Amino acid sequence: MFTGIIEAVGTVRSATYCQGDLRLHINSGQLDLSDVKLGDSIATNGICLTVVALPGDGYIADVSIETLEHSTLGTLASGALVNLEKALTPTTRLGGHLVSGHVDGVGGVTAIEPSARSTRYWIEAPLALARYIAHKGSITVDGVSLTVNSVEGTKFALNIVPHTQEMTTITSWQVGTKVNLEVDQIARYLERLLDPELKESQQSKQSKLTSSFLAEHGFLR
């Protein structure tokens, strides 16, 4: 679990395909790895990756075919910059929102507009994800916890303050840049709970042990 507050920007040292999936070697830059051990998780551009090796200058992680199909990791080349965040601990400040690191899909930057000292980025989400994106709601873009400032159909706007641009890879975004999207977990679970098919299934499985049933079979007088 993560917060979406980026701790450092790293650099891809190598991206090597091996038997269909990908092995990434990430130079972790200013990210402190002194408390990281094999098997720990590090969000890389918003994707929860498991550390399989610690070569000294960063970490190595394997990326499955499933992850490659639903994210931008497969497009990363040597020298690419990535947002990094270590998994949160019980004492971590939750400065962003709860982020799982399980990317839902890929969006694209469609417009970049100046907005006083901030910059407004418009991003188009896949149609299947648009229903989860709400005005003033939270969304994770390339691992960064951000507030949705406007929504127009499948497009949404983000106002990025200078500090966030300086501390992340957002400053490198251009029109056409592809980004990883993770929608708010509450929205996903709420939809599941309200799914009419699921409710019907649950109702059909409800216990038939009623007071009438008990009386009919001699358990109540």
Side-chain angles (χ1 to χ4, degrees):
M1 193 67 70
F2 308 90
T3 69
I5 303 299
I6 301 305
E7 296 179 271
V9 172
T11 305
V12 176
R13 288 208 60 182
S14 63
T16 308
Y17 279 91
C18 180
Q19 299 180 352
D21 55 23
L22 182 68
R23 171 159 287 199
L24 286 176
H25 181 172
I26 305 294
N27 184 310
S28 55
Q30 298 300 311
L31 188 69
D32 180 14
L33 298 184
S34 62
D35 58 347
V36 173
K37 59 183 183 301
L38 298 186
D40 283 353
S41 298
I42 297 179
T44 307
N45 267 8
I47 299 155
C48 178
L49 296 181
T50 300
V51 174
V52 300
L54 292 164
D57 62 346
Y59 61 95
I60 292 173
D62 290 324
V63 184
S64 69
I65 295 176
E66 169 75 10
T67 302
L68 291 172
E69 290 177 349
H70 291 87
S71 73
T72 64
L73 286 190
T75 67
L76 295 179
S78 178
L81 300 179
V82 288
N83 294 317
L84 304 179
E85 180 192 356
K86 293 185 293 186
L88 63 84
T89 66
T91 58
T92 302
R93 287 191 178 92
L94 191 59
H97 69 284
L98 290 175
V99 176
S100 69
H102 303 155
V103 168
D104 295 299
V106 174
V109 178
T110 61
I112 302 174
E113 306 165 349
S115 179
R117 292 189 303 113
S118 300
T119 303
R120 172 168 284 213
Y121 292 86
W122 281 93
I123 295 174
E124 184 160 19
L127 181 60
L129 298 184
R131 67 175 66 187
Y132 304 110
I133 302 171
H135 180 234
K136 295 303 180 185
S138 295
I139 189 166
T140 308
V141 184
D142 273 356
V144 187
S145 172
L146 298 168
T147 300
V148 177
N149 296 111
S150 297
V151 177
E152 294 182 2
T154 58
K155 296 180 181 179
F156 62 95
L158 306 165
N159 271 54
I160 310 298
V161 298
H163 176 79
T164 303
Q165 295 197 78
E166 293 169 4
M167 300 303 295
T168 68
T169 62
I170 292 177
T171 188
S172 67
W173 289 357
Q174 300 176 357
V175 172
T177 296
K178 299 299 182 182
V179 291
N180 297 312
L181 303 178
E182 179 184 336
V183 298
D184 185 49
Q185 293 187 48
I186 295 175
R188 278 189 299 191
Y189 284 119
L190 184 60
E191 181 187 52
R192 181 64 172 163
L193 289 170
L194 297 177
D195 186 337
E197 293 185 5
L198 182 63
K199 292 174 72 173
E200 289 177 8
S201 176
Q202 290 174 329
Q203 289 171 353
S204 68
K205 294 179 180 178
Q206 284 181 347
S207 174
K208 296 181 180 179
L209 192 64
T210 64
S211 57
S212 298
F213 178 89
L214 293 174
E216 181 182 344
H217 291 81
F219 292 99
L220 294 179
R221 295 180 181 177

